[in-house]
Amino acid sequence: MKIDILSIFPEYFSPLDLSLIGRARSAGLLRVDVHDLRRWTHDVHRTVDDTPYGGGPGMVMRPEPWGEALDSLVSDDSVLVVPSPAGEPFTQAVAGELARASHMVFACGRYEGIDQRVIDHFSGREISLGDYVLFGGEVAVLAIVEAVARLIPGVLGNADSLVEESHTDGLLEAPVYTKPASWRAHEVPEILRSGDHGRIARWRRDRSLERTARRRPDLLDPDALSPRDLAALTE
Ligand SMILES: Nc1nc2cc(Br)ccc2s1
């Protein structure tokens, strides 16, 4: 997969050189290029913003630099993602969808946002990480790139990790434990040390259902649960 990121703060993306993503880039599984939007300005001050039509506080990002930048990066196979507080919710399902794209272009807005005509002209997909407002799209792009990159075959060393993690099956993942068996008088649940993999799998499913019902009842779809699952929720 090829990823292009446009921002007035390209240095925000140095973390993408680290760890798994850094290794994926070195292995050729992923190519990430970051571009300074000011490269497509032509005035001495390299201006990227102006006052909003209709008045109101703050500044809006001008369409011209975005238009020239996106003309040079976007093709018919590209998916343009524009992080925005007004976007569709970013979910694991959306991450899975984006992971199938061959080319993603991310437009990082700042100030009050990007002139809407840019997003409309390039059929950008506005995506929100949650109901809060950041200073810009850069932090959101880091999160989206990480969530998508780990779904690309070969990026995550152990693909099994994808199977039981939160949201893969629509539920929150069960709690996890490691050695020592006793830590500050807190014991690891005995069943996890039993070696009975069938009972362990059931225990984890029950904990996942309980945790989801308690913290994120909105994720529960009773029609998608087995009678055994429903029984676990009513115990
Ligand atoms: N939650 C989010 N806040 C923002 C703010 C700006 Br400015 C641009 C993108 C995003 S995504």
Side-chain angles (χ1 to χ4, degrees):
M1 176 186 290
K2 171 72 163 59
I3 294 177
D4 286 292
I5 301 171
L6 278 161
S7 168
I8 60 172
F9 295 113
E11 59 276 14
Y12 246 95
F13 297 97
S14 46
L16 293 180
D17 297 329
L18 306 173
S19 185
L20 279 178
I21 294 199
R23 284 209 294 271
R25 293 173 75 174
S26 305
L29 293 169
L30 190 60
R31 183 174 166 194
V32 180
D33 289 328
V34 183
H35 312 273
D36 185 342
L37 178 70
R38 294 189 195 276
R39 192 175 120 202
W40 286 276
T41 60
H42 307 294
D43 62 303
V44 67
H45 299 294
R46 313 186 79 194
T47 310
V48 292
D49 64 321
D50 205 333
T51 54
Y53 273 119
M59 302 291 272
V60 173
M61 299 193 92
R62 296 170 52 233
E64 297 95 331
W66 281 108
E68 290 184 29
L70 292 171
D71 279 345
S72 71
L73 294 173
V74 172
S75 66
D76 291 345
D77 300 332
S78 309
V79 175
L80 173 62
V81 173
V82 184
S84 163
E88 65 177 286
F90 183 61
T91 64
Q92 193 67 15
V94 173
E97 192 185 327
L98 294 177
R100 291 191 289 273
S102 57
H103 182 216
M104 288 202 301
V105 180
F106 288 93
C108 298
R110 280 270 151 175
Y111 312 107
E112 299 304 312
I114 301 170
D115 186 303
Q116 188 63 41
R117 290 169 294 179
V118 173
I119 301 166
D120 297 344
H121 181 79
F122 289 95
S123 303
R125 189 165 176 181
E126 294 185 69
I127 289 181
S128 165
L129 287 194
D131 297 334
Y132 47 81
V133 183
L134 302 167
F135 280 120
E138 286 81 4
V139 166
V141 169
L142 281 169
I144 295 168
V145 166
E146 183 161 315
V148 170
R150 61 194 301 280
L151 299 179
I152 294 170
V155 171
L156 203 56
N158 178 6
D160 291 345
S161 301
L162 293 174
V163 174
E164 293 194 359
E165 62 184 11
S166 284
H167 303 290
T168 299
D169 58 1
L171 301 175
L172 302 185
E173 65 189 1
V176 291
Y177 303 85
T178 187
K179 293 185 283 297
S182 180
W183 175 74
R184 296 188 182 183
H186 301 291
E187 310 303 321
V188 170
E190 190 58 40
I191 194 164
L192 295 180
R193 304 176 63 209
S194 68
D196 182 335
H197 297 295
R199 288 183 61 222
I200 289 169
R202 186 66 254 173
W203 180 89
R204 283 177 169 156
R205 177 75 180 181
D206 290 353
R207 298 299 76 69
S208 176
L209 287 160
E210 285 168 6
R211 182 178 263 193
T212 307
R214 187 168 63 250
R215 296 178 181 173
R216 290 292 306 276
D218 59 296
L219 294 178
L220 282 180
D221 173 8
D223 296 336
L225 298 179
S226 69
R228 177 69 180 75
D229 286 343
L230 292 169
L233 285 174
T234 51
E235 279 168 8

